[in-house]
Amino acid sequence: MMNEIYENYNHLIDLNQYSVEQWDDMLRLAADIKRNPRIYENSCIGKIMGTMFYEPSTRTQMSFQSAMLRLGGGTIGFVNPQTNSSVAKGENLKDTTKVVSGYCDVVVLRHNLEGAALAAAVNADCPVINAGDGGHLHPTQTLTDLMTLKEETGSLSGLTVGLCGDLKNGRTVHSLIKALSCYKNNKFVLISTESLRLPDYIQEPLKAKGAEYYEISSLEDAFEEHALDMLYMTRIQRERFENVWEYRSQADKFILDTEKMKKAPEKMLVLHPLPRVNEIAIEVDDDPRALYFKQANYGMYIRMALILQTINYELNNSPVLIGELRDDLECRNMKCITRAETYLPKSFKKSVGESGDIYFCEYCEESVVGI
Ligand code: CP
């Protein structure tokens, strides 16, 4: 089975670089690994994965490490660059990536700035996997979510999906919506406060695909008005707010507890990328619809599949940046990697809007203004 479904994967920055058929192949491989782990236990002997985590992580970091160890490979890396890497001495992302990618067969990067994974890929000598770039994307969490849905519902199409919480800053939400909108007849119910609505650049793919979606501000209304197959709860992303007061004004607006679960559809699965803070009461853990711990476990198997599909191929030579290189444009997103790593080529993608051409930063996908 392994040889039949391997594809030549390279960097994984955004899942939408690859086709739905390739995601489906990876989901099948992950399911096979879960069923037959012994077959794969020596698949990565002699291979090394480097983890560069500029932001804290439990699940992503440890599931990647566990995945590589279960495939017979080894791991190196840092989880706190300010105490155990030369980032503390002022080394930039380019130099760190260039060096670490020379020691490894694959680099897994988590970074606080948006577009950092693409920026690292520009300078890497081995494939780079995006393990979360600021509030932008988190494609391996999405693979985890897709595997959970596929294994638990049998399908990734025709689903009514509720997403609740910090839809503005939640990178897991962004990646998941982009992915599920590529499957047929999925409907989205976006539950948030006005301030934490889904950003325009994630609404665009929904509109482009003609996906049905609703923006509402109450969990109870969501349960009453929509037959949700899945509710994806998310944490309010405290680290993305300007100050603690802004965060507090948004915290604890949506809490899923047993009372609300009584009003929820009988078969509605509850997923959460975790960590949770307060948005799902602990008592909900005993509800058979609560799948978030099982979901975290699926994450290890899908990362095993991703490592296999990434590591057994040479890095191909296709260019990493495919936009227009424009020195007369500047990304206006203060959290974009191009603001901190100013040596990066400024690259933009063009889209034709109603009032003329719109340029989007290739790294973080924010629309831009000329300078
Ligand atoms: N879901 C997720 O990304 O969790 P960690 O931040 O613990 O990796």
Side-chain angles (χ1 to χ4, degrees):
M1 177 169 184
M2 286 167 59
N3 287 334
E4 279 168 31
I5 64 172
Y6 272 5
E7 292 282 350
N8 185 1
Y9 272 65
N10 234 282
H11 305 295
L12 174 60
I13 308 303
D14 177 343
L15 263 191
N16 294 67
Q17 291 166 255
Y18 298 102
S19 65
V20 170
E21 289 73 29
Q22 284 172 304
W23 307 345
D24 290 342
D25 283 347
M26 191 156 8
L27 295 172
R28 277 194 287 276
L29 177 58
D32 195 57
I33 294 169
K34 188 169 187 295
R35 274 193 305 274
N36 306 297
R38 298 289 297 274
I39 295 177
Y40 298 89
E41 66 189 2
N42 296 323
S43 309
C44 285
I45 285 180
K47 302 285 186 183
I48 296 176
M49 178 181 72
T51 52
M52 293 170 32
F53 274 62
Y54 289 74
E55 260 195 348
S57 165
T58 297
R59 276 146 293 275
T60 312
Q61 196 260 129
M62 290 193 194
S63 63
F64 261 116
Q65 288 201 339
S66 173
M68 191 51 161
L69 295 173
R70 285 172 190 270
L71 293 169
T75 71
I76 59 171
F78 56 75
V79 290
N80 185 345
Q82 290 303 334
T83 56
N84 63 9
S85 87
S86 286
V87 174
K89 302 172 201 164
E91 187 164 64
N92 65 22
L93 182 63
K94 174 179 181 174
D95 295 359
T96 306
T97 306
K98 190 81 191 155
V99 171
V100 174
S101 66
Y103 300 152
C104 303
D105 300 286
V106 61
V107 163
V108 179
L109 174 76
R110 170 168 290 189
H111 204 284
N112 50 308
L113 293 177
E114 294 162 18
L118 184 65
V122 170
N123 295 298
D125 292 325
C126 73
V128 172
I129 294 175
N130 183 2
D133 58 335
H136 183 216
L137 296 173
H138 194 347
T140 71
Q141 179 62 48
T142 297
L143 287 169
T144 301
D145 303 337
L146 294 181
M147 182 173 183
T148 309
L149 279 174
K150 179 78 179 166
E151 294 296 301
E152 299 293 330
T153 70
S155 177
L156 293 171
S157 303
L159 299 172
T160 300
V161 175
L163 300 109
C164 177
D166 190 346
L167 308 189
K168 179 182 174 194
N169 300 301
R171 57 195 174 196
T172 62
V173 167
H174 301 167
S175 289
L176 182 58
I177 288 176
K178 281 179 75 170
L180 282 177
S181 65
C182 295
Y183 290 91
K184 286 200 179 112
N185 300 327
N186 287 327
K187 187 169 107 180
F188 301 88
V189 182
L190 309 173
I191 310 149
S192 74
T193 63
E194 182 63 27
S195 309
L196 298 182
R197 289 175 57 211
L198 196 69
D200 289 345
Y201 77 89
I202 304 295
Q203 292 199 29
E204 285 307 322
L206 286 177
K207 289 178 186 157
K209 294 258 168 13
E212 198 177 331
Y213 72 98
Y214 303 87
E215 293 187 283
I216 60 178
S217 57
S218 147
L219 263 174
E220 287 90 340
D221 288 351
F223 295 155
E224 220 165 85
E225 294 165 18
H226 302 278
L228 299 183
D229 297 297
M230 187 265 273
L231 174 64
Y232 195 84
M233 290 297 292
T234 62
R235 175 178 69 91
I236 306 301
Q237 306 272 303
R238 184 165 56 180
E239 64 276 29
R240 312 277 176 233
F241 284 77
E242 294 293 327
N243 57 56
V244 73
W245 298 280
E246 263 189 46
Y247 166 71
R248 283 194 190 139
S249 74
Q250 296 297 321
D252 297 340
K253 297 279 190 205
F254 299 99
I255 299 178
L256 186 67
D257 55 18
T258 45
E259 282 310 303
K260 290 202 185 76
M261 284 299 282
K262 283 180 193 159
K263 297 176 188 156
E266 199 185 334
K267 294 197 170 158
M268 181 194 80
L269 305 179
V270 181
L271 272 64
H272 190 311
L274 303 177
R276 77 171 143 191
V277 180
N278 210 22
E279 58 281 353
I280 301 182
I282 304 278
E283 64 207 21
V284 176
D285 298 356
D286 297 328
D287 189 307
R289 294 170 287 181
L291 283 193
Y292 27 91
F293 294 119
K294 205 170 178 187
Q295 180 187 359
N297 190 251
Y298 282 127
M300 182 181 70
Y301 294 105
I302 196 72
R303 288 179 175 111
M304 289 171 82
L306 175 61
I307 290 169
L308 282 175
Q309 288 189 306
T310 303
I311 216 162
N312 285 314
Y313 290 88
E314 292 292 313
L315 194 60
N316 72 33
N317 288 325
S318 38
V320 174
L321 294 175
I322 54 173
E324 281 181 41
L325 298 183
R326 295 277 302 259
D327 278 336
D328 58 327
L329 295 177
E330 186 164 38
C331 181
R332 66 181 173 190
N333 175 10
M334 297 309 288
K335 295 175 183 169
C336 177
I337 190 70
T338 57
R339 293 277 178 168
E341 308 267 336
T342 50
Y343 56 82
L344 285 165
K346 291 180 178 176
S347 182
F348 300 91
K349 287 184 174 171
K350 189 165 77 174
S351 138
V352 181
E354 280 168 16
S355 51
D357 293 343
I358 303 169
Y359 283 88
F360 294 88
C361 172
E362 186 169 0
Y363 298 89
C364 72
E365 299 185 85
E366 278 283 341
S367 57
V368 299
V369 287
I371 52 173

